[in-house]
Amino acid sequence: MLEVTVTSSSPASTLVTVSGELAGPGAERLLARLDRLLDNGHRYVVLDLTGVKFCDSSGVSALVRGHARASAAAGGLRLSAASDQVTRVLELSGLARMLGLPSTVEA
């Protein structure tokens, strides 16, 4: 089960904490929540994925689609943090940088 909680909101951005599994129905739940936020005028959304223990391709797709929807609404979607598993998946897919996730790769 995926839990999506709006942790804080300001005119500049809305922080959303996500925990559980970002897969299947959880991915759709996240997208639905992002859609509601964007429809209600929250243009810049920051996701904290520290509590996400598992992310599959549907979760990655939800993040990409959420990013595209926020960009289309003249806003943005960024990640403030992610669990090790999610960070690895996003780095391997090349999406970590697009979503603003700090790199864990040492130079």
Side-chain angles (χ1 to χ4, degrees):
M1 182 87 175
L2 187 80
E3 292 198 28
V4 181
T5 307
V6 174
T7 308
S8 67
S9 184
S10 72
S13 66
T14 301
L15 177 62
V16 177
T17 302
V18 183
S19 61
E21 293 190 359
L22 188 50
E28 290 303 317
R29 172 177 274 160
L30 176 61
L31 262 181
R33 187 59 181 265
L34 290 173
D35 280 344
R36 282 194 307 273
L37 288 169
L38 292 167
D39 288 345
N40 289 321
H42 300 265
R43 295 291 171 244
Y44 295 95
V45 179
V46 179
L47 297 178
D48 179 345
L49 303 181
T50 305
V52 175
K53 301 302 176 202
F54 178 75
C55 179
D56 69 1
S57 60
S58 65
V60 170
S61 176
L63 293 172
V64 170
R65 290 166 52 198
H67 181 270
R69 290 177 184 178
S71 295
L77 174 73
R78 292 283 181 244
L79 303 183
S80 65
S83 65
D84 291 342
Q85 193 270 341
V86 173
T87 298
R88 178 112 171 103
V89 168
L90 294 176
E91 284 181 344
L92 289 172
S93 66
L95 296 172
R97 185 175 298 173
M98 178 185 84
L99 296 172
L101 192 63
S103 178
T104 60
V105 178
E106 293 183 28

